[in-house]
């Protein structure tokens, strides 16, 4: 927080100017998303956020539209979705699966082992207890139409300061609008200026299509209040949003529900909002209107410059930790507006800077949608423009929410992982009930979907809802955070969650008859089906590969964590015994990694989920060095799956190919993800709509943010890997990036790396060790071992060169 006082303000202004100079000097097109026209659709607008408040800027000349979001704005309510008698059917479901009667087992799962109630109502959760993440509303600002033509229009999002700007000239004046969402001041801040006096005349309105009341509030403010449907008696979460204008010159007044500003020289518009969500994260305010009013009073008490300065300083604390340059783009590429740049790259233009921009955009989106104390980034981060958000804008646990957090550690945003940990902790209590009522098991479980209300029951359809390993996959994030940070206090906090999860799986494992391996029953391989002998398709199965890989990882993590903490010796032994008996990852007769315990015929061989390669990434049981046969089988599986798929699936495959050390293939997937969404086309004989919208939001389609995050992680994974006790430098560098430079990537064990390369070869690498330790590093075939002191810095390129001479 910036205190007032001339000295402070002077310092602040100086600091901002220095930042600005640094930005101007260092800025390339790699940190800019920009347009030469206003947005007509959500996926052309510019996303801003502080983790809680979101704003999407459309930038119309005559009408500015800002889509507003508040990350806890969820309809629905806490519900009892667990079937109280589910466990009664478990023995029969298991018997049928063990006897190979999968279709019959699936029928029973449908009838008795799904959630009760309407569930997420197939992604129409808005008016049932499951609920939906929703848009807060729209802010519309109508400028008094000028007859003159608009010139020099430019709308840009600058990732280096998280400010969206709009510039244009009209008549005899030049106009500029700037918007940012401040974390320190918890407000959306807009600033309108013109180079001619008294040229700003506009009307401001708030709108929401249902469940909101909008009224004037004093001479210069509007207030929107409302209450969402809880899915039972209708009286759900309350929310409030306030808008206030502070104009210089001219006048401001409220007429009806419109805030009218006339003939101002410049104006600042502040927007604050809150909900009374009382869940596991968020502000937990009981009076949203008062909370929005407090925030407003504080923000309105500061000058625009000091709000802006505090915002930039706070944002850059995260953003500046990592830089990436992937070599020069053709000058004309970087000079194009982003949609044209995407198109040119898709047509073969040389533009490595676009991948660097996409990487930094992923980091930007995480900083803007996930802050400690808040809710985790959902399927759309925090940016939704409808009430019926696709898939309810919830958290899917069979890849999507995890993918959102793949870049958190490696891309140097470790603290922003916290909302994910809070989500995991929040599922422990409801998940313990689900574990007991469905499986008669101890510990806790979450299946495929969860919401703001602690939903842990299976989904409403057996085909996708019976995946039991969602919670195991969540727990990977706890252990990975520890591997990167070695934060013992965190491990102490996280271990009971991991243990509770492992407890559940250790209780629910069953021995299968063919090999006497321990397997999960019932289960499915996320959303993928297989063909039975009678040609019908089933999903419910036992021991899918992904479950086995996840449990192998989770049990090992718990064993090691309990050793570090010196607790639970007996449990450790139990886990070690059971881990040794888990069904292993196997290679099928066609040389691919088997997805199920049996080699089924596959009705959808190019299915978007590739869960059976979990052990390659984000797990690490499959590596080209340690398990070359499995790595070769994974390659075959990926080839058979094909590249073309939904946005998140493309992003997943970047990481998988990076782990296989195939930079060119990973790069091809980046190129596919960076294909503009432009109507149906066929690639590899598969229909493909494209991977990126004009504003670089990932297209499932529709917009789904996981691909943005997954690709950011994938790009990092191409440059540095650090699993299984070895730091690999440039493990998957594609030919398309012959030179480049990255700073600030993180490696497990508390290491940070800066790397530079030219002509495809490493030229400089610096390793900083935060915690000290023995560190193994490899570049190509050369490996070194280094003993690092806490806080030490090492130039490792000469060491790698020296080592290679021996
Ligand atoms: C999973 C995926 C879908 C989509 C949804 C949100 O169900 O299979 O592709 O991403 O989550």
């Amino acid at each position: 927080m910036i205190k007032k006082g001339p000295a402070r303000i002077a310092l602040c202004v100086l600091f901002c100017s220095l930042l600005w100079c640094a930005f101007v000097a260092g800025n390339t097109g790699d940190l800019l998303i920009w347009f030469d026209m206003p947005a007509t659709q959500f996926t052309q607008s510019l996303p801003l956020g502080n983790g809680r408040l979101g704003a999407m800027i459309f930038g119309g000349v005559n009408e500015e539209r800002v889509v507003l979001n508040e990350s806890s704005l969820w309809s629905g309510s806490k519900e009892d979705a667990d079937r109280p008698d589910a466990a009664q059917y478990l023995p029969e479901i298991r018997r049928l699966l063990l006897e190979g009667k999968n279709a019959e087992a699936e029928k029973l799962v449908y009838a008795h082992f799904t959630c009760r109630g309407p569930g997420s109502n197939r992604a129409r959760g808005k008016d049932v207890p499951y609920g939906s993440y929703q848009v807060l509303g729209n802010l519309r600002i109508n400028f008094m139409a000028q007859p003159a033509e608009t010139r020099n229009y430019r709308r840009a999002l600058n990732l280096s300061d998280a400010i969206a700007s709009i510039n244009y000239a009209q008549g005899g004046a030049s106009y500029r609008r700037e918007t940012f969402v401040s974390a320190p001041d918890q407000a959306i801040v807009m600033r309108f200026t013109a180079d001619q006096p008294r040229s700003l005349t506009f009307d401001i309105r708030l709108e929401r299509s249902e469940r909101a009341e909008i009224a004037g509030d004093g001479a210069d403010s509007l207030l929107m209040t409302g209450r969402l449907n809880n899915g039972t008696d209708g009286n759900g979460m309350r929310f409030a949003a306030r808008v206030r204008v502070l104009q210089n010159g001219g006048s401001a007044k409220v007429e009806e529900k419109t805030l009218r500003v006339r003939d101002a020289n410049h104006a600042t518009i502040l927007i604050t909002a809150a909900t009374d969500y009382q869940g596991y994260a968020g502000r937990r305010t009981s009076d949203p209107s008062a909370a929005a009013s407090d925030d407003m009073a504080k923000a309105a008490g500061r000058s625009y410059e000091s709000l802006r300065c505090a915002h930039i300083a706070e944002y850059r604390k995260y953003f500046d930790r990592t830089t990436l340059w992937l070599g020069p783009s053709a000058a004309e590429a970087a000079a194009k507006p982003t949609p044209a740049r995407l198109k040119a790259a898709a047509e073969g233009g040389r533009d490595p800077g676009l991948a660097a921009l996409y990487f930094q955009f992923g980091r930007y989106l995480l900083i803007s949608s996930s802050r400690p104390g808040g809710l985790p980034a959902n399927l759309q981060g925090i940016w939704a423009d409808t009430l019926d958000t696709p898939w309810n804008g919830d958290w899917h646990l069979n890849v999507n929410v995890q993918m959102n957090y793949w870049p958190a550690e490696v891309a140097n945003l470790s603290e922003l992982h916290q909302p994910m940990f809070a989500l995991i902790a929040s599922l422990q209590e409801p998940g313990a009930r689900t574990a007991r009522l469905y499986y008669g098991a101890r510990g806790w479980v979450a299946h495929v979907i969860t919401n703001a209300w602690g939903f842990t029951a299976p989904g409403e359809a057996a085909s996708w809802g019976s995946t039991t390993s969602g919670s195991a996959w969540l727990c990977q994030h706890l252990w990975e955070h520890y591997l990167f940070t070695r934060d013992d206090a965190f491990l102490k906090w996280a271990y009971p969650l991991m243990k509770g999860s492992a407890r559940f799986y250790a209780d629910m494992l069953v021995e299968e008859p063919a090999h006497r391996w321990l397997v999960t029953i019932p289960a499915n391989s996320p959303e993928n089906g297989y063909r039975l002998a009678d040609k019908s398709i089933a999903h419910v199965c036992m021991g899918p590969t992904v479950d086995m890989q996840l449990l192998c990882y989770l049990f090992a993590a718990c064993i090691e964590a309990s050793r570090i903490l010196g607790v639970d010796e007996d449990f450790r032994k139990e886990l070690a015994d059971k881990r040794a008996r888990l069904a292993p990852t196997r290679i099928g007769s066609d040389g691919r990694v088997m997805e199920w315990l049996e080699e089924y015929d596959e009705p959808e061989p190019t299915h978007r989920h590739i869960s059976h390669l979990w052990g390659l990434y984000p797990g690490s049981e499959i590596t080209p060095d340690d398990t070359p046969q499995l790595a070769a089988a994974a390659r075959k599986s990926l080839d058979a799956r094909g590249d073309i798929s939904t946005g998140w699936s493309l992003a997943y495959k970047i990481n998988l190919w990076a782990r296989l050390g195939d930079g060119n293939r990973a790069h091809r997937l980046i190129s596919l993800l960076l294909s503009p969404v432009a109507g149906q086309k066929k690639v590899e004989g598969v229909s493909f709509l494209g991977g990126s919208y004009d504003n670089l939001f990932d297209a499932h389609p529709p917009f789904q943010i996981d691909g943005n995050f997954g690709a950011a992680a994938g790009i990092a994974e191409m440059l540095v890997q650090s699993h299984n006790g070895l730091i690999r430098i440039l493990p998957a560098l594609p030919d398309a990036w012959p030179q480049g430079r990255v700073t600030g990537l993180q490696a497990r064990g508390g290491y940070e790396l800066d790397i530079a390369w030219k002509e495809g070869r490493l030229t400089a690498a610096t390793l900083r060790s935060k915690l000290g330790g023995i560190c193994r590093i490899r570049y190509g075939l050369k490996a070194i071992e280094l003993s690092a002191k806490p806080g030490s810095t090492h130039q490792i390129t000469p060491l790698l060169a020296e080592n290679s001479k021996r």
Side-chain angles (χ1 to χ4, degrees):
M1 292 270 173
I2 293 183
K3 297 217 178 78
K4 281 191 180 165
R8 280 273 175 161
I9 292 173
L11 260 180
C12 191
V13 169
L14 177 70
F15 179 62
C16 281
S17 326
L18 287 175
L19 286 180
W20 176 250
C21 294
F23 158 64
V24 171
N27 189 30
T28 65
D30 300 359
L31 292 177
L32 219 53
I33 294 172
W34 74 278
F35 294 79
D36 55 7
M37 57 179 73
T40 54
Q41 294 160 27
F42 184 66
T43 49
Q44 294 170 329
S45 61
L46 301 173
L48 298 166
N50 66 0
R52 188 177 72 84
L53 298 172
M56 302 285 308
I57 309 297
F58 281 59
V61 170
N62 293 333
E63 182 188 79
E64 175 64 271
R65 175 180 171 204
V66 183
V67 174
L68 304 173
N69 283 108
E70 208 281 353
S71 66
S72 65
L73 193 71
W74 264 83
S75 61
S77 50
K78 204 163 179 53
E79 66 177 320
D80 180 4
D82 290 330
R83 285 177 188 268
D85 59 349
Q88 203 176 301
Y89 298 91
L90 184 65
E92 182 62 1
I93 292 168
R94 286 186 165 161
R95 185 186 65 79
L96 290 167
L97 280 161
L98 288 165
E99 288 175 8
K101 297 175 178 156
N102 297 28
E104 285 167 55
E106 185 153 326
K107 259 190 217 138
L108 260 193
V109 172
Y110 259 109
H112 302 288
F113 218 71
T114 53
C115 56
R116 88 177 160 170
S120 65
N121 204 12
R122 295 191 191 273
R124 286 283 172 269
K126 178 167 100 51
D127 293 310
V128 299
Y130 187 84
S132 178
Y133 179 63
Q134 304 191 0
V135 65
L136 173 63
N138 277 294
L139 184 76
R140 296 205 186 255
I141 305 174
N142 291 94
F143 294 84
M144 293 312 118
Q146 299 238 6
E149 160 206 15
T150 306
R151 285 166 287 115
N152 305 332
Y153 181 92
R154 187 179 166 96
R155 180 169 59 99
L157 171 62
N158 195 330
L159 304 186
S160 68
D161 56 13
I163 292 181
S165 61
I166 289 141
N167 287 290
Y168 59 93
Q170 205 179 41
S174 292
Y175 296 87
R176 179 172 170 86
R177 301 177 205 155
E178 278 191 354
T179 308
F180 57 87
V181 185
S182 166
D185 289 291
Q186 289 297 317
I188 300 170
V189 183
M190 306 184 80
R191 170 76 152 186
F192 298 170
T193 52
D195 66 353
Q196 300 299 316
R198 304 176 75 80
S199 340
L200 290 166
T201 288
F202 54 87
D203 288 348
I204 306 178
R205 286 184 199 85
L206 272 170
E207 66 177 28
R208 187 172 208 276
S209 59
E210 64 168 39
R211 292 179 164 267
E213 288 198 2
I214 294 155
D217 186 33
D220 57 5
S221 299
L222 298 177
L223 171 65
M224 172 168 78
T225 50
R227 191 156 200 192
L228 301 187
N229 189 353
N230 60 358
T232 54
D233 64 5
N235 297 320
M237 177 185 292
R238 292 176 198 276
F239 63 91
R242 288 181 181 274
V243 184
R244 182 167 172 191
V245 69
L246 303 163
Q247 97 285 0
N248 171 284
S251 63
K253 67 172 173 189
V254 175
E255 266 177 20
E256 292 273 299
K257 296 172 183 181
T258 304
L259 183 48
R260 300 194 195 282
V261 177
R262 297 288 174 270
D263 305 321
N265 298 319
H266 54 82
T268 303
I269 296 161
L270 300 171
I271 302 132
T272 59
T275 74
D276 69 353
Y277 174 60
Q278 302 288 338
Y280 64 92
R283 298 175 108 193
R284 300 192 184 86
T285 53
S286 53
D287 183 344
S289 177
S293 171
D294 281 356
D295 290 342
M296 183 61 82
K298 282 186 203 138
R302 279 158 202 258
S303 69
Y304 176 72
E305 285 70 26
S306 96
L307 290 169
R308 186 180 195 277
C309 190
H311 156 71
I312 294 176
E314 199 272 352
Y315 167 76
R316 292 188 69 147
K317 196 177 77 188
Y318 295 108
F319 187 75
D320 287 359
R321 292 174 186 173
T322 298
T323 64
L324 177 63
W325 180 69
L326 291 174
S329 296
E332 68 281 4
K336 285 187 192 340
T338 305
R341 187 175 181 181
L342 273 175
K343 191 161 175 279
E347 285 161 2
R350 208 194 116 59
D351 193 2
L354 187 57
L357 174 64
Y358 201 75
F359 169 78
Q360 289 292 27
F361 186 48
R363 294 184 66 245
Y364 166 86
L365 291 171
L366 198 65
I367 301 169
S368 307
S369 64
S370 180
R371 291 299 187 95
L375 288 145
N378 64 41
L379 283 167
Q380 298 200 180
I382 53 170
W383 297 282
D385 66 334
T386 58
L387 305 172
D388 272 320
T389 308
W391 289 284
N392 305 312
D394 69 7
W395 295 276
H396 271 52
L397 312 181
N398 64 359
V399 67
N400 314 88
V401 70
Q402 290 90 346
M403 186 176 283
N404 284 2
Y405 286 88
W406 284 353
E409 301 295 336
V410 67
N412 212 338
L413 298 170
S414 183
E415 308 94 308
L416 307 186
H417 216 156
Q418 191 275 341
M420 174 73 154
F421 307 147
L423 170 72
I424 299 169
S426 78
L427 299 177
Q428 194 180 17
E429 193 189 308
R433 190 161 180 273
T434 304
R436 185 163 43 79
L437 290 177
Y438 283 74
Y439 305 89
R442 294 166 290 175
W444 67 278
V445 63
H447 291 80
V448 186
I449 47 173
T450 194
N451 55 9
W453 313 111
F455 188 94
T456 49
E460 64 267 26
S463 59
W464 56 267
S466 56
T467 290
T468 46
S469 51
S471 35
W473 195 338
L474 285 174
C475 285
Q476 188 202 14
H477 286 252
L478 302 170
W479 183 241
E480 288 292 322
H481 181 70
Y482 177 74
L483 292 181
F484 274 92
T485 61
R486 299 279 170 191
D487 178 345
D488 290 332
F490 173 78
L491 188 65
K492 221 171 165 185
W493 175 85
Y495 172 70
L497 296 168
M498 294 163 57
K499 180 184 167 188
S501 178
R503 179 69 273 159
F504 165 75
Y505 295 106
D507 274 4
M508 77 87 85
L509 285 169
V510 175
E511 186 182 278
E512 54 77 42
H515 310 85
R516 310 198 54 200
W517 288 325
L518 293 181
V519 293
T520 48
I521 317 184
N524 66 40
S525 186
E527 303 184 36
N528 202 4
Y530 54 87
R531 226 187 285 279
L532 294 165
D534 67 358
K535 303 284 174 223
S536 66
I537 294 169
H539 293 78
V540 173
C541 65
M542 51 185 193
T545 301
V546 60
D547 281 14
M548 300 296 100
Q549 294 175 344
L550 276 162
L551 297 197
C552 197
Y553 178 99
L554 176 66
F555 287 7
C558 278
I559 290 167
E560 195 163 340
S562 74
R563 236 186 240 129
I564 294 167
L565 297 171
V567 294
D568 294 333
E569 208 180 318
D570 291 346
F571 184 52
R572 198 185 308 155
K573 275 202 196 109
E574 180 188 343
L575 289 183
D577 289 348
K578 291 194 166 157
R579 184 172 184 270
R581 296 184 54 206
L582 291 171
T585 304
R586 283 184 303 155
I587 301 172
S589 56
D590 58 1
R592 292 179 302 149
V593 174
M594 283 171 65
E595 183 161 353
W596 294 275
L597 268 189
E598 283 178 47
E599 287 195 66
Y600 294 118
D601 182 31
E602 293 163 44
E604 213 184 321
T606 59
H607 196 277
R608 62 195 176 280
H609 281 273
I610 22 188
S611 318
H612 52 310
L613 301 189
W614 189 93
L616 176 61
Y617 184 93
S620 56
E621 72 168 64
I622 303 175
T623 72
D625 293 328
D626 303 330
T627 59
Q629 283 163 349
L630 280 173
R635 179 175 271 275
K636 269 204 165 159
S637 294
L638 277 171
D639 279 333
R641 226 40 163 207
D643 290 344
I644 303 305
S645 198
T646 59
W648 67 257
S649 181
L650 297 172
Y652 197 160
K653 290 165 190 162
I654 299 170
N655 290 278
L656 292 167
W657 284 110
R659 282 283 173 97
L660 288 171
D662 193 332
N664 286 339
R665 194 65 181 268
H667 185 265
R668 173 174 149 77
L669 282 145
I670 294 174
S671 304
L672 286 167
L673 193 55
L674 285 168
S675 319
V677 172
Q680 191 95 345
K681 54 184 179 265
K682 289 234 168 191
V683 182
E684 294 175 1
V686 182
S687 73
F688 180 52
L689 289 168
S692 290
Y693 292 106
D694 285 350
N695 65 358
L696 295 190
F697 266 174
D698 160 53
H700 183 286
F703 161 49
Q704 201 172 288
I705 207 162
D706 40 17
N708 286 104
F709 293 131
I715 291 168
E717 206 67 22
M718 291 163 78
L719 304 174
V720 170
Q721 293 175 15
S722 64
H723 50 287
N724 300 355
L726 182 65
I727 296 178
R728 295 165 179 83
I729 305 210
L730 301 180
L733 192 65
D735 296 340
W737 303 341
Q739 62 172 319
R741 192 168 56 234
V742 66
T743 63
L745 290 184
Q746 302 294 297
R748 289 169 185 82
Y751 299 102
E752 178 164 321
L753 284 131
D754 301 342
I755 301 168
W757 65 97
K758 241 190 191 143
E759 292 167 14
R761 298 198 53 78
L762 177 70
T763 52
T766 306
L767 174 123
R768 285 181 290 280
S769 168
K770 290 176 224 166
L771 309 166
I774 306 284
C775 166
R776 288 170 59 226
I777 310 163
R778 204 171 91 179
Y779 169 64
L781 296 174
K782 303 167 202 162
I784 55 166
E785 204 170 271
L786 193 89
S787 172
K789 294 210 176 72
S792 59
T793 298
H794 306 259
Q795 305 303 329
I796 50 178
T797 345
L799 296 176
L800 283 167
E802 202 177 284
N803 181 264
S804 69
K805 283 184 210 133
R806 282 196 205 128

